[in-house]
Amino acid sequence: MTGADPLTFYGAPMRARLLLGTARFPSPAILAEAIRAASCEIVTVSLRREAGGSRAGESFWSLVRETGVRVLPNTAGCRTAKEAIATAQMAREVFETDWIKLEVIGEEDTLQPDVFGLVEAAKALAADGFKVFPYTTDDLVVAEKLLDAGCALLMPWAAPIGSGRGLNNPFALRALRAHFPGVPLVVDAGLGAPSHAAAVMEMGYDAVLLNTAVSRAGDPVMMARAFAGAVEAGRLGYLAQPMTPRDMAEPSTPVIGRPFGAEPDKLRC
């Protein structure tokens, strides 16, 4: 969406509010179709998938470039700040961009970010000229430290990566949005259904990043299209200012006085 509802990432204007990951699709052709169906402008790509100079990696990279989208390399799989920094530096050379989705994983079962390593790496990368997109938790203190480290946006999770659970902690997500009204917030990880995306967009989040929810769907292309519609609907719903919930019913067609033309005696049974 454009015009009266602008969105920028590090000064770059964005029309689409759906970002798409590129891992685990059934085939490169389906990935390309899903990118088009999602109408997205940004896709995330793991350097580790492209490393090594393999022909498969070159073919994949060519396919992504042909879609015309912007590439956001990530540091997926990194367990330490040092490893993430080195991966980001290599990604800048390979993909010729200073944008980086920063991941520093601290726990194996949930793939929860190591927030200490994340802040350390973010500070070093921002000082080195990177535009950092940090994959983080919904913790307010961590968010503040990432912004202080030089990040201009935040990418909090809704639930563990690939879980499809949706919004594990709606209260924390609302609090994050309320505390940082001027900071672009992108929900990253854990969404499984279009309704989940609509819900976070109705909270006022700026965008959504998906991968597994689309790539592992029965029909990834149709699911990409469904999420694109849900993200737009959620954003429009937020901008339209939904009604305040009430405890009691309120008739949508209120009755004022008596029915027209009725006489009191004739209304009795």
Side-chain angles (χ1 to χ4, degrees):
M1 299 178 66
T2 57
D5 186 29
L7 172 64
T8 61
F9 293 155
Y10 288 100
M14 296 289 116
R15 296 186 308 274
R17 293 177 180 270
L18 176 60
L19 291 68
L20 195 64
T22 55
R24 302 180 68 184
F25 278 81
S27 72
I30 291 177
L31 168 61
E33 286 186 57
I35 291 173
R36 287 189 286 268
S39 299
C40 62
E41 295 176 89
I42 299 174
V43 298
T44 62
V45 177
S46 172
L47 173 67
R48 297 190 174 197
R49 179 170 181 170
E50 309 313 314
S54 68
R55 290 184 178 179
E58 292 175 5
S59 175
F60 174 82
W61 177 221
S62 296
L63 179 148
V64 171
R65 295 175 78 170
E66 288 172 2
T67 63
V69 296
R70 184 163 188 164
V71 169
L72 175 62
N74 66 36
T75 62
C78 293
R79 262 55 182 183
T80 66
K82 182 178 180 180
E83 186 181 10
I85 293 168
T87 301
Q89 291 169 340
M90 288 188 287
R92 180 161 59 182
E93 295 184 13
V94 171
F95 298 107
E96 299 178 338
T97 178
D98 56 6
W99 283 21
I100 191 73
K101 181 191 171 190
L102 181 60
E103 297 182 27
V104 182
I105 301 302
E107 206 280 322
E108 292 297 327
D109 291 332
T110 63
L111 298 180
Q112 179 170 326
D114 172 359
V115 295
F116 303 101
L118 182 67
V119 172
E120 178 185 347
K123 185 175 183 179
L125 290 172
D128 193 26
F130 281 89
K131 309 297 189 296
V132 182
F133 293 64
Y135 164 60
T136 184
T137 64
D138 51 26
D139 186 278
L140 292 173
V141 177
V142 175
E144 190 68 60
K145 291 185 179 298
L146 286 169
L147 296 175
D148 289 343
C151 299
L153 58 80
L154 301 169
M155 303 182 79
W157 69 349
I161 293 174
S163 67
R165 293 180 56 86
L167 285 61
N168 265 2
N169 194 341
F171 173 82
L173 290 174
R174 289 193 183 94
L176 198 63
R177 177 71 285 176
H179 275 72
F180 304 104
V183 177
L185 298 181
V186 182
V187 168
D188 176 17
L191 303 185
S195 57
H196 299 157
V200 295
M201 294 301 292
E202 287 176 1
M203 288 180 182
Y205 275 75
D206 297 285
V208 166
L209 172 56
L210 306 164
N211 193 158
T212 309
V214 175
S215 66
R216 287 315 199 190
D219 187 331
V221 177
M222 185 180 296
M223 188 60 76
R225 189 174 296 112
F227 267 105
V231 167
E232 182 175 2
R235 183 63 184 178
L236 287 172
Y238 169 73
L239 294 175
Q241 301 179 17
M243 63 175 287
T244 303
R246 296 169 51 90
D247 293 330
M248 302 297 290
E250 180 180 0
S252 57
T253 306
V255 177
I256 302 176
R258 299 190 180 101
F260 179 76
E263 296 180 12
D265 292 341
K266 293 182 180 181
L267 291 176
R268 297 172 184 166
C269 296

